[in-house]
């Protein structure tokens, strides 16, 4: 099983919770800002202060999908199906619901077992809320 450390509490994370934390880190990190992981990240932070017009929103969706599905530095335990903006307003805060298939052993290259999951990823440093489909 996949494990890691919660970046906020220092507690042990396992399975889906670890994937959700990774998704948040990937989409909130600017490309070329992590010393040993230059390609990790997305273009989402570059778009955060842009006008919320249809073109910028489209670019946000593309940046999210590209970062998560990146073969090198994306999330191997998650295959994205849909993206939905669930929070967005004049205050500049926004969040996306990412839905797709979770592969508990995807980090090992094993994609035989899949579970349908979704998570709400805020685009700030706030705590990421994981939500399971059907829960």
């Amino acid at each position: 099983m996949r494990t890691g450390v919660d970046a906020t509490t220092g507690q042990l994370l396992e399975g889906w919770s670890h994937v959700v934390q990774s998704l948040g880190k990937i989409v909130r990190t600017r490309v070329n800002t992590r010393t040993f992981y230059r390609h990790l990240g997305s273009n989402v932070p570059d778009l955060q202060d842009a006008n919320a017009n249809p073109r910028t929103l489209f670019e946000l969706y593309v940046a999210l999908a590209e970062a998560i599905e990146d073969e090198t530095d994306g999330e191997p335990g998650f295959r994205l199906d849909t993206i939905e903006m669930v929070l967005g307003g004049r205050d500049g805060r926004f969040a996306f619901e990412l839905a797709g298939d979770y592969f508990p052993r995807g980090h090992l290259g094993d994609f035989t077992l899949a579970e349908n999951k979704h998570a709400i990823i805020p685009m700030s440093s706030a705590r990421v809320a994981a939500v399971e489909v059907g829960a």
Side-chain angles (χ1 to χ4, degrees), residues 5-69:
V5 176
D6 187 301
T8 306
T9 66
Q11 299 295 317
L12 181 67
L13 283 180
E14 294 180 331
W16 176 240
S17 296
H18 186 258
V19 171
V20 172
Q21 177 175 272
S22 295
L23 289 170
K25 282 186 178 186
I26 290 168
V27 300
R28 289 192 301 258
T29 301
R30 272 191 176 83
V31 176
N32 288 325
T33 58
R34 296 196 63 175
T35 305
F36 293 106
Y37 301 97
R38 292 286 181 199
H39 295 94
L40 178 82
S42 74
N43 293 323
V44 171
D46 296 331
L47 299 167
Q48 192 163 1
D49 292 329
N51 290 331
N53 58 37
R55 179 178 175 87
T56 303
L57 293 175
F58 176 75
E59 289 174 2
L60 270 170
Y61 280 78
V62 170
L64 283 165
E66 286 178 342
I68 293 166
E69 296 291 324

Side-chain angles (χ1 to χ4, degrees), residues 57-94:
L57 293 175
F58 176 75
E59 289 174 2
L60 270 170
Y61 280 78
V62 170
L64 283 165
E66 286 178 342
I68 293 166
E69 296 291 324
D70 184 90
E71 289 185 21
T72 306
D73 294 310
E75 176 47 63
F78 186 73
R79 184 177 321 144
L80 184 65
D81 287 334
T82 62
I83 304 170
E84 181 180 345
M85 183 182 286
V86 293
L87 174 67
R90 300 183 137 231
D91 61 0
R93 294 183 305 158
F94 56 105

